[in-house]
Amino acid sequence: MVDKRANVPVGRLAPYFADLHVHIGRTRDGQPVKISGSRNLTFRRIAEEASERKGIELIGVIDCHSPAVQKEILECLHAGEMEETPGGGIRYRNTTLLLGAEMEVREEGGGPFHLLGYLPTLQAMQEWTEWMMPRVANIRLSSQRIRVSARELQAELIARGGLLIPAHVFTPHRGLLGCSADRLADRLDPGGIAAVELGLSADSDMAGRLSELDRYPFLTNSDAHSPGMIGRECNELSLMTPSFAEFAKALKGEDGRRILANYGLHPELGKYHETSCAACRRTVPETEGEIAACPYCGSARLTRGVSGRIAQLADRERPAHPKGRPPYRPQVPLSFFPGIGQAKRERLFAEVGTEMDVLHRIAPEAISAVTGEKIAELIVRAREGQLAFTSGSGGSYGRIRQS
């Protein structure tokens, strides 16, 4: 028996790309799920994009708690377009979809923060929906505020065989360490955290300055709100086959399963890397202490950047990593390269390979046949970590600085 993906014999460990945080904008019949998500980001479209264009073989679909999404999943299963996978997940061609939900918690003394929960089967997710329903205002929508403590939610999820991961943990909006608490242990049982999602504006070295995080694997996920953003951050996992059970083993480092690499957006490209002023929209220089007002206009409407927040929380001057921590490889998605628009991306996918192939595997000569030598050279320089960036802040992405 052979894995259709790349002629990999079943029963052997192989590398798989995984993006574990993708939202659903609408259902196939137009019902809203993630209000800020693209209208064409449906469950089936996520599967197609991941399998055919992105080269993502394990994808976590957040918002599967919505009954309307579950109805669409059942339709795909009954039509034979997809099938439930032994070990957990839904298989579509070369990709397995993991069923997840994002929930918002707010506790005394801090701002609201998001938690990701993953469950092995559609039945388990349907049961999770029943538990959530009386505790949220609208079970149909994404990222709903849930009227329980984080620890209660965590215990309920784990009791059902689920995995809990704090989402985009350092971001000033809805990150547990970004806006709610100074330690994960202030909100959650430390032993029940499966991994930590770094978010678009942080990397492993930044997070490595917090000793509390040494015990946890790091994940780099896209938090995609549109099809094009799928895979802008991803992970490379060593698995027997892409499934929930294998993913859980990889997070624990069991039986040879492990995280091989984190492919994260270069932190300077993230929306909240630097502190910014909402009034004059200028980037504010970082300081060791709190910044009371914008040095340019005097406004107190400041959004603390991830780099500054980590500096506040750090108990180390320099990053330290436990044995086995995988490398963090800064990734620049195709959409960030000047001169690569939608039409050129589609040509690359049709003539060269998936986005993961183009970013990490394909020879520059093959890429330049579509993009030209200048863009191909930028892609190679991105692989080698040789690009310079203008940092993102205040909700605006950073950009490549061209010499």
Side-chain angles (χ1 to χ4, degrees):
M1 185 175 179
V2 172
D3 186 319
K4 294 179 290 184
R5 173 185 66 101
N7 296 324
V8 176
V10 172
R12 294 186 188 174
L13 291 169
Y16 294 88
F17 282 117
D19 178 359
L20 289 315
H21 188 165
V22 175
H23 282 283
I24 291 176
R26 299 288 188 277
T27 60
R28 187 154 41 182
D29 60 4
Q31 294 186 53
V33 182
K34 184 73 173 180
I35 300 299
S36 58
S38 170
R39 296 183 64 87
N40 62 357
L41 197 61
T42 65
F43 187 83
R44 193 181 192 284
R45 176 66 187 279
I46 290 169
E48 291 174 341
E49 188 74 18
S51 180
E52 308 305 316
R53 293 180 177 83
K54 296 295 184 174
I56 302 292
E57 296 128 335
L58 186 66
I59 193 154
V61 184
I62 306 305
D63 309 328
C64 290
H65 70 282
S66 172
V69 173
Q70 293 168 6
K71 177 175 177 287
E72 186 169 332
I73 295 171
L74 285 168
E75 289 171 355
C76 291
L77 292 172
H78 292 157
E81 297 176 304
M82 302 182 186
E83 61 183 0
E84 293 200 77
T85 301
I90 306 290
R91 182 81 171 188
Y92 173 83
R93 297 185 183 176
N94 298 330
T95 296
T96 298
L97 299 93
L98 298 186
L99 307 183
E102 183 177 65
M103 297 142 290
E104 182 173 297
V105 178
R106 181 160 194 167
E107 298 187 11
E108 187 176 350
F113 59 96
H114 286 173
L115 298 172
L116 303 175
Y118 303 89
L119 287 156
T121 65
L122 179 57
Q123 181 179 342
M125 183 58 73
Q126 290 170 323
E127 292 171 358
W128 183 247
T129 296
E130 293 179 8
W131 180 82
M132 282 183 64
M133 196 174 299
R135 297 168 173 85
V136 298
N138 190 339
I139 193 64
R140 297 188 300 274
L141 297 181
S142 172
S143 312
Q144 288 288 284
R145 177 77 58 82
I146 190 163
R147 296 185 293 271
V148 296
S149 70
R151 279 188 173 83
E152 182 180 348
L153 185 155
Q154 180 184 33
E156 289 285 346
L157 185 74
I158 292 172
R160 290 168 167 77
L163 300 171
L164 181 128
I165 297 170
H168 38 74
V169 71
F170 297 114
T171 57
H173 302 297
R174 303 333 193 246
L176 194 160
L177 295 178
C179 70
S180 182
D182 291 344
R183 291 174 55 81
L184 296 180
D186 293 339
R187 300 288 184 238
L188 294 165
D189 173 4
I193 299 171
V196 170
E197 184 184 75
L198 296 180
L200 303 182
S201 297
D203 62 14
S204 293
D205 276 349
M206 295 169 69
R209 293 183 61 198
L210 281 67
S211 61
E212 182 195 22
L213 304 185
D214 287 352
R215 65 187 292 184
Y216 303 115
F218 293 159
L219 291 176
T220 40
N221 300 319
S222 70
D223 194 2
H225 286 49
S226 64
M229 291 297 102
I230 293 172
R232 64 179 169 182
E233 290 203 339
C234 64
N235 312 273
E236 192 172 20
L237 309 180
S238 177
L239 310 171
M240 287 287 188
T241 185
S243 71
F244 177 92
E246 289 286 301
F247 171 55
K249 283 189 172 186
L251 294 183
K252 295 177 182 177
E254 290 182 350
D255 301 329
R257 283 74 160 177
R258 61 193 179 96
I259 303 173
L260 296 172
N262 296 120
Y263 290 91
L265 198 67
H266 193 290
E268 291 182 60
L269 292 175
K271 287 183 177 182
Y272 301 106
H273 185 69
E274 302 287 351
T275 296
S276 68
C277 174
C280 69
R281 304 193 66 80
R282 297 178 70 175
T283 298
V284 177
E286 297 292 352
T287 63
E288 290 187 6
E290 288 286 347
I291 306 172
C294 174
Y296 305 111
C297 71
S299 172
R301 295 167 57 204
L302 302 179
T303 301
R304 186 85 198 206
V306 167
S307 60
R309 178 58 174 160
I310 289 176
Q312 282 184 319
L313 299 177
D315 56 357
R316 295 171 174 148
E317 286 295 322
R318 303 178 65 83
H321 298 296
K323 184 179 179 181
R325 174 81 72 207
Y328 185 100
R329 295 176 179 157
Q331 174 174 279
V332 182
L334 290 175
S335 59
F336 280 85
F337 288 95
I340 299 187
Q342 182 62 35
K344 194 157 286 184
R345 285 201 300 273
E346 291 301 325
R347 272 196 67 195
L348 283 167
F349 300 152
E351 300 175 24
V352 179
T354 66
E355 182 157 5
M356 293 301 106
D357 289 333
V358 172
L359 293 180
H360 303 295
R361 295 170 176 153
I362 300 292
E365 295 79 15
I367 299 171
S368 65
V370 173
T371 66
E373 290 185 9
K374 185 176 180 180
I375 294 174
E377 182 185 350
L378 283 177
I379 290 173
V380 172
R381 286 172 59 195
R383 291 178 185 176
E384 297 171 349
Q386 295 179 359
L387 292 182
F389 306 96
T390 299
S391 295
S393 65
S396 297
Y397 289 108
R399 61 185 185 276
I400 295 172
R401 192 187 306 156
Q402 297 189 73
S403 55

